């Protein structure tokens, strides 16, 4: 079975517990205004625009497909900036067995693997295939980093084979959620509540974006939501940063630290140690 992968970070300490191989899948079903990896959102339309900005000849078109030559690439990322389709000429197809081999070759250095993106659950069958083979041959754990906009049948498949979920909540209010992401949060909250009843909801992630989801109603709603979900899921509170952002929010300043600390203290009153600070 084949999967589409944007990039693989062989050792990551920020994508779940311990040292993990983070596998960033290509393709997403949202279009978040503050996305830090916008080049993972869409599949390539083969428009050829990126070829015009690459000065090293690392990109070419062969048989209608974009070909990426890693040896000629200097990592300037002009191709990513030049892609109007929120895609990348560098993503690649990989057989599940090849990915399994890469993971198992690194097993002794790892605590586990994390599938991220993009929205990795759009390639659930590929993930399940990889996870089953990895677990058959190692004690590595498998985590899913998701926006929560998951089809019911895919969620069930993942629940049956992975060890944890890191789940984004972008906004509690549906109108704000639609503004930030382009979709309603109805399905997302349904999935969140399903996961909260398992032991798999490792953490919820919330990015504070000035003027969007940092108002008092949102913060109260977020705290209450987490409190009612269960008694173990942690909430990671992340301040917005413009790094990598491709929409008009790229001109926004990083989230104000004083305001961040005030919001953190408010949430702490309700969730105590379950709320985690981020620099
Ligand atoms: S990566 Fe983007 S710019 Fe390059 S061919 Fe694909 S869609 Fe066009
Ligand atoms: S990052 Fe993109 S534009 Fe820059 S050299 Fe590599 S392929 Fe070319």
């Amino acid at each position: 079975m084949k999967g589409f992968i944007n990039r693989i970070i062989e050792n990551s300490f920020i994508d779940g517990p311990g040292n993990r191989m983070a596998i960033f899948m290509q393709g997403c079903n949202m279009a978040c205004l503050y996305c830090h990896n916008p080049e993972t959102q869409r599949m390539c339309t083969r428009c050829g625009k990126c070829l015009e900005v690459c000065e090293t000849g690392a990109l070419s078109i062969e048989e209608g497909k974009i070909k990426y030559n890693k040896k000629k690439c200097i990592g300037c990322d002009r191709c990513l900036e030049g892609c109007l389709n929120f895609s990348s000429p560098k993503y690649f197809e990989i057989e599940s067995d090849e990915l399994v081999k890469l993971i198992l070759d690194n097993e002794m250095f790892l605590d586990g693997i994390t599938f991220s993106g993009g929205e990795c659950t759009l390639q659930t069958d590929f993930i399940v295939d990889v996870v089953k083979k990895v677990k058959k041959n190692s004690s590595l754990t498998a985590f899913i980093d998701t926006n929560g906009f998951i089809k019911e049948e895919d969620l069930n498949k993942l629940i049956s084979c992975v060890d944890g979920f890191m789940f984004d909540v972008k906004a509690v209010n549906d109108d704000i959620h639609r503004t930030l992401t382009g979709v309603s949060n109805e399905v997302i909250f349904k999935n969140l509540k399903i996961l909260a009843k398992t032991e798999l909801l490792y953490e919820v992630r919330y990015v504070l974006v000035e003027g969007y989801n940092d108002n008092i109603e949102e913060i109260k709603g977020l705290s209450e939501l987490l409190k009612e979900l269960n008694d173990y899921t942690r909430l990671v509170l992340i301040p917005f940063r413009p790094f990598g952002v491709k929409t008009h929010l790229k001109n926004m300043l990083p989230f104000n630290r004083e305001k961040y600390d005030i919001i953190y203290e408010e949430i702490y009153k309700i969730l105590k140690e379950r709320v985690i600070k981020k620099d």
Side-chain angles (χ1 to χ4, degrees):
M1 184 174 289
K2 282 185 173 162
F4 294 95
I5 292 181
N6 181 278
R7 67 185 185 281
I8 295 172
I9 297 177
E10 291 192 2
N11 294 284
S12 167
F13 290 90
I14 57 167
D15 292 289
N19 184 15
R20 315 190 69 78
M21 185 180 288
I23 301 149
F24 292 83
M25 311 291 289
Q26 187 71 23
C28 189
N29 47 12
M30 287 190 187
C32 297
L33 293 180
Y34 59 78
C35 180
H36 294 289
N37 299 310
E39 73 281 2
T40 63
Q41 287 183 13
R42 307 284 164 257
M43 306 313 280
C44 174
T45 60
R46 302 169 183 177
C47 71
K49 280 257 180 301
C50 53
L51 272 70
E52 294 167 16
V53 294
C54 179
E55 290 178 349
T56 67
L59 302 174
S60 56
I61 289 196
E62 281 174 35
E63 294 171 357
K65 282 191 179 174
I66 304 296
K67 200 127 193 231
Y68 167 59
N69 183 339
K70 202 174 178 178
K71 284 189 190 145
K72 288 188 177 175
C73 177
I74 53 166
C76 66
D77 284 348
R78 290 183 62 176
C79 52
L80 306 186
E81 286 157 29
C83 176
L84 304 177
N85 185 41
F86 289 64
S87 189
S88 163
K90 302 186 203 177
Y91 77 77
F92 55 95
E93 253 181 283
I94 190 167
E95 283 289 344
S96 53
D97 286 347
E98 199 183 328
L99 181 57
V100 170
K101 183 176 180 314
L102 177 70
I103 295 164
L104 294 177
D105 283 350
N106 285 275
E107 184 196 349
M108 63 184 293
F109 308 109
L110 296 170
D111 295 296
I113 54 175
T114 295
F115 291 91
S116 184
E119 175 49 33
C120 65
T121 65
L122 293 176
Q123 300 186 62
T124 289
D125 289 341
F126 174 79
I127 292 176
V128 170
D129 192 30
V130 172
V131 169
K132 283 187 174 164
K133 287 170 179 163
V134 167
K135 283 182 169 280
K136 201 172 162 193
N137 293 288
S138 75
S139 57
L140 295 174
T141 59
F143 274 63
I144 299 292
D145 179 359
T146 177
N147 64 23
F149 198 30
I150 315 171
K151 278 197 230 151
E152 194 180 336
E153 60 169 313
D154 288 339
L155 184 64
N156 290 332
K157 285 180 195 172
L158 291 166
I159 285 174
S160 70
C161 73
V162 304
D163 301 280
F165 287 78
M166 288 162 291
F167 196 109
D168 294 345
V169 169
K170 317 274 186 180
V172 178
N173 175 288
D174 196 38
D175 290 334
I176 299 173
H177 196 277
R178 284 173 192 268
T179 304
L180 276 174
T181 70
V183 306
S184 163
N185 59 18
E186 198 181 325
V187 171
I188 294 156
F189 280 14
K190 188 170 149 245
N191 290 337
L192 184 66
K193 284 167 189 164
I194 290 170
L195 279 173
K197 290 194 186 110
T198 69
E199 292 172 349
L200 301 176
L201 190 58
Y202 174 69
E203 78 184 19
V204 165
R205 294 174 169 182
Y206 190 90
V207 179
L208 282 165
V209 190
E210 178 105 45
Y212 287 86
N213 62 2
D214 61 339
N215 60 65
I216 187 74
E217 290 81 19
E218 272 295 304
I219 301 310
K220 269 190 187 165
L222 178 67
S223 309
E224 289 303 324
L225 176 71
L226 264 287
K227 192 180 163 199
E228 283 162 24
L229 274 183
N230 59 34
D231 60 2
Y232 75 89
T233 300
R234 58 190 218 156
L235 170 67
V236 182
L237 198 61
I238 303 167
F240 166 84
R241 284 206 180 82
F243 179 73
V245 174
K246 224 173 173 178
T247 69
H248 61 282
L249 294 198
K250 69 183 175 201
N251 300 318
M252 195 184 251
L253 292 171
F255 196 83
N256 181 284
R257 197 67 208 181
E258 264 174 45
K259 189 166 184 188
Y260 176 93
D261 288 340
I262 292 168
I263 291 173
Y264 172 83
E265 292 303 331
E266 282 307 307
I267 299 178
Y268 187 88
K269 284 179 195 163
I270 297 171
L271 296 181
K272 305 294 179 202
E273 284 77 20
R274 284 173 60 196
V275 58
I276 310 293
K277 249 187 185 179
K278 275 276 178 188
D279 292 330

